[in-house]
Amino acid sequence: MVPGPRLDVVARPVILTVDDDPAVSRAVARDLRREYGEHHRIVRAESGPAALDALREIALRGEQVAVILADQRMPRMSGVEFLEQAMDLFPRARRVLLTAYADTEAAITAINVVDLDHYLLKPWDPPEEKLYPVVDSLLTAWRESSDRPAATIRIVGNRWSSRSYELRDLAARNQVSYDFFRAEEPEGARLLEAAGADPDLLPIVITEDGRTLVQPTDAQVAEAAGLATTASEEVYDLVVVGGGPGGLGASVYGGSEGLRTVLVESRATGGQAGTSSRIENYLGFPDGVSGDQLTMRARLQAEKFGTEVLTTRTVTALEPKGRARVVRFDDGSEITAHAVVLATGVAYRMLDCPGLEDHTGQGVFYGAAATEAASCAAQDVYVVGGANSAGQAAMNFSRHAAKVVMLVRGPSLQASMSHYLIEQIEANPRIEVRTCTEVCAAAGTDHLEKLTLRDRNTGAEETVEASWLFVFIGAAPRTDWLDGVVARDARGFVLTGPDLPREENGRAPAGWEPDRDPFHLETSVPGVFAVGDVRADSVKRVASAVGEGAMAVSLVHRWLENR
């Protein structure tokens, strides 16, 4: 960590306005730009869907939205419907509904549904009397709100640096506002010079208070952004290891039921589900919900109930110690709990072929890599995999790319993908599905430039120009650190309850001390439970993982009452 001079280049907060009447839309943007354009970026849209797309792009760039003004009477999506979805992306943004005199009932609905800050009757002329005082008060409230997000950071690095990508991904997935500057461009070079940083020691991170972090670790960036990385206590009722849907479910229910709960996540809450661009079959979201929106809601809900959330902390050991369960971290520190829920999920398997490893983070990505979607504009994107995660990514990239080519090893998508997603892909003219096809080589200089594809039926090979490859080829559990502690199957998944190996008498597993059979989600170590994808033979769905997380907490209570 290297101290540097304070730098004052921070992205301007956004004021967004949406109205389907082009004349009104231009007038609102004109009045806002005249009064606030010096210190805020004014963005306008002429429909709810277009405005949501704009908000997603703003989120990917790590910018903040201060105020949203939406017309109520718009076709396809009303102002209230738009604001309800917008608040998932930017929950802190102040919300204004533009209404006519006849829309009083809609305004009342908006107050209840989207926690509306103000409704403004049209016309608002003169703006000095009717518009600006309202926006002034909302901007003041936004700046002074006690629930401000983690501080804005600036990342300076090379475009095709894998470490620069990792830091952008870390910030985006943790809802940390950030700006990325390429070191080779004028603004990036100016920041490097102002910070007194060596351009050979990239990436660097510049914090909101002007400190310069040279080639920082994830933990240093998390701490600089205001995320919690250190436990506040030494002993908890419940430690949840892993922040995917199962871990978040356990954290919400643990906190809500009065357990002193801490959630420990090595990178970002949400797991693989958190990177999904759209989950359309999750109960209660008929229009679908993005993984990051669902994750953000769940994390806020857990924190509301008092759960402590630690980020960028890697657990390396679990040790039963009498009635206690000790969880150790990679820095040697530890915390103690009465019960533990393992929710570490799975990691995408690496694609094993020449050239790919050299370009990981340099055009080759495992998972959706949402921070890269906008950079794929008007280019060809290749997606490897035939399950739901690959299909959701293909649909998302098709919004930006010239063409998305799905490479599927099997003869069709039917065996591994949900029917609704197959129908969407078939109807999308920008997506091409190539079955019985695999990647066998990759090449490039400082980033991916070419892929060699092989037809699995004929063996014929073809080389294509490609700068973007996203891989979704199944997953493996991350449980090596549990070796010798809890029982696992041959693939490393954690065995629980009735799946645990039994003694000859058919009762408890070897070494089992309690005078009872293991609970349904309990591992071979009493008081240690496993939920979600990490559990052997679990249903690999978001809803089932959340349900298991909730069920695990009820079993934790039974364990605590009878131990």
Side-chain angles (χ1 to χ4, degrees):
M1 186 181 298
V2 178
R6 183 176 179 86
L7 301 175
D8 296 322
V9 180
V10 179
R12 295 175 296 167
V14 170
I15 299 176
L16 181 139
T17 174
V18 52
D19 195 305
D20 67 302
D21 186 326
V24 175
S25 177
R26 287 193 296 270
V28 178
R30 178 200 63 216
D31 289 344
L32 291 172
R33 193 170 290 112
R34 184 174 61 194
E35 181 72 8
Y36 304 104
E38 182 178 355
H39 301 293
H40 299 80
R41 189 161 75 86
I42 312 302
V43 176
R44 74 178 182 94
E46 294 182 1
S47 72
L52 288 174
D53 286 342
L55 288 176
R56 293 186 186 102
E57 294 294 334
I58 291 168
L60 286 175
R61 288 196 294 267
E63 298 180 44
Q64 299 182 43
V65 176
V67 177
I68 300 174
L69 301 95
D71 180 45
Q72 168 59 14
R73 296 190 177 187
M74 296 187 292
R76 296 178 57 194
M77 180 182 292
S78 71
V80 173
E81 292 169 335
F82 161 71
L83 289 172
E84 189 172 8
Q85 295 191 44
M87 68 188 294
D88 286 336
L89 293 167
F90 290 95
R92 287 188 56 254
R94 302 296 160 169
R95 295 174 282 278
V96 180
L97 193 68
L98 304 178
T99 66
Y101 283 103
D103 292 331
T104 305
E105 186 174 336
I108 294 173
T109 300
I111 292 172
N112 295 325
V113 174
V114 298
D115 194 20
L116 192 70
D117 294 289
H118 196 92
Y119 67 92
L120 191 64
L121 294 176
K122 297 190 294 185
W124 57 85
D125 289 332
E128 290 78 8
E129 295 180 10
K130 297 184 178 180
L131 177 64
Y132 299 155
V134 171
V135 176
D136 285 344
S137 65
L138 294 177
L139 287 173
T140 299
W142 178 81
R143 286 192 295 267
E144 295 178 353
S145 61
S146 60
D147 59 342
R148 294 200 64 179
T152 298
I153 61 174
R154 281 158 286 168
I155 304 169
V156 183
N158 295 318
R159 173 66 187 89
W160 294 108
S161 160
S162 58
R163 182 56 182 158
S164 294
Y165 158 70
E166 290 172 356
L167 292 182
R168 299 197 308 275
D169 184 66
L170 176 71
R173 293 189 58 196
N174 282 288
Q175 310 292 327
V176 172
S177 180
Y178 77 95
D179 293 312
F180 176 64
F181 300 91
R182 300 183 186 183
E184 62 271 21
E185 294 182 347
E187 187 59 33
R190 192 194 73 76
L191 285 171
L192 287 174
E193 182 179 0
D198 187 341
D200 293 327
L201 298 177
L202 296 178
I204 69 166
V205 171
I206 302 166
T207 67
E208 194 172 47
D209 61 4
R211 290 176 297 140
T212 301
L213 312 180
V214 178
Q215 296 181 331
T217 63
D218 287 356
Q220 287 176 324
V221 173
E223 289 171 0
L227 300 174
T229 60
T230 305
S232 63
E233 301 182 32
E234 294 181 356
V235 180
Y236 294 84
D237 294 321
L238 174 63
V239 172
V240 180
V241 184
L248 287 167
S251 298
V252 168
Y253 280 88
S256 68
E257 295 182 14
L259 298 177
R260 290 173 299 164
T261 304
V262 59
L263 169 64
V264 181
E265 170 54 47
S266 61
R267 187 158 184 82
T269 51
Q272 287 187 6
T275 67
S276 175
S277 58
R278 204 75 181 161
I279 303 171
E280 296 195 54
N281 56 356
Y282 189 71
L283 185 68
F285 292 88
D287 296 324
V289 60
S290 69
D292 62 343
Q293 291 175 32
L294 191 63
T295 295
M296 179 187 67
R297 288 183 172 192
R299 177 169 178 157
L300 289 173
Q301 194 173 18
E303 291 176 333
K304 181 187 78 171
F305 289 124
T307 293
E308 191 175 335
V309 180
L310 306 183
T311 306
T312 65
R313 296 307 307 270
T314 300
V315 177
T316 57
L318 170 65
E319 179 186 352
K321 210 169 189 179
R323 293 187 174 184
R325 304 291 176 256
V326 178
V327 173
R328 293 197 173 89
F329 299 108
D330 56 355
D331 64 356
S333 62
E334 63 183 41
I335 53 178
T336 301
H338 301 306
V340 174
V341 171
L342 304 174
T344 51
V346 292
Y348 285 114
R349 290 192 179 94
M350 305 292 283
L351 189 58
D352 186 18
C353 64
L356 279 188
E357 184 176 357
D358 295 338
H359 294 103
T360 301
Q362 302 172 350
V364 177
F365 303 93
Y366 290 85
T371 57
E372 304 303 299
S375 300
C376 301
Q379 300 180 57
D380 289 351
V381 169
Y382 287 80
V383 174
V384 177
N388 279 8
S389 54
Q392 290 160 352
M395 289 296 298
N396 182 44
F397 290 129
S398 71
R399 295 173 47 240
H400 306 274
K403 181 174 68 173
V404 178
V405 182
M406 295 189 67
L407 307 175
V408 183
R409 286 172 56 88
S412 72
L413 295 173
Q414 273 70 22
S416 55
M417 187 177 293
S418 296
H419 179 68
Y420 79 90
L421 200 49
I422 294 175
E423 288 185 326
Q424 291 180 4
I425 289 171
E426 290 176 345
N428 192 321
R430 291 191 178 184
I431 299 179
E432 173 189 345
V433 180
R434 296 183 58 171
T435 57
C436 300
T437 304
E438 62 187 2
V439 177
C440 58
T445 51
D446 60 339
H447 66 91
L448 178 68
E449 296 174 351
K450 296 179 184 296
L451 290 174
T452 301
L453 311 180
R454 178 187 296 127
D455 186 310
R456 301 188 72 231
N457 290 329
T458 66
E461 295 186 356
E462 171 191 4
T463 299
V464 296
E465 303 286 334
S467 297
W468 303 96
L469 178 70
F470 298 88
V471 182
F472 306 81
I473 56 168
R478 297 171 289 184
T479 59
D480 290 347
W481 61 283
L482 293 169
D483 188 30
V485 180
V486 301
R488 300 177 296 156
D489 67 12
R491 296 180 297 164
F493 291 94
V494 177
L495 297 169
T496 60
D499 294 326
L500 285 167
R502 302 283 173 148
E503 293 282 4
E504 291 183 2
N505 59 14
R507 288 184 59 81
W512 184 260
E513 295 181 0
D515 186 21
R516 61 170 175 82
D517 281 345
F519 297 134
H520 181 66
L521 299 176
E522 197 168 20
T523 71
S524 58
V525 176
V528 177
F529 303 83
V531 302
D533 289 358
V534 75
R535 192 174 68 83
D537 295 326
S538 64
V539 178
K540 303 300 189 280
R541 288 290 185 270
V542 175
S544 61
V546 173
E548 288 186 4
M551 183 191 300
V553 171
S554 69
L555 299 177
V556 166
H557 279 295
R558 292 173 63 182
W559 154 251
L560 294 176
E561 291 168 0
N562 297 292
R563 67 195 180 106

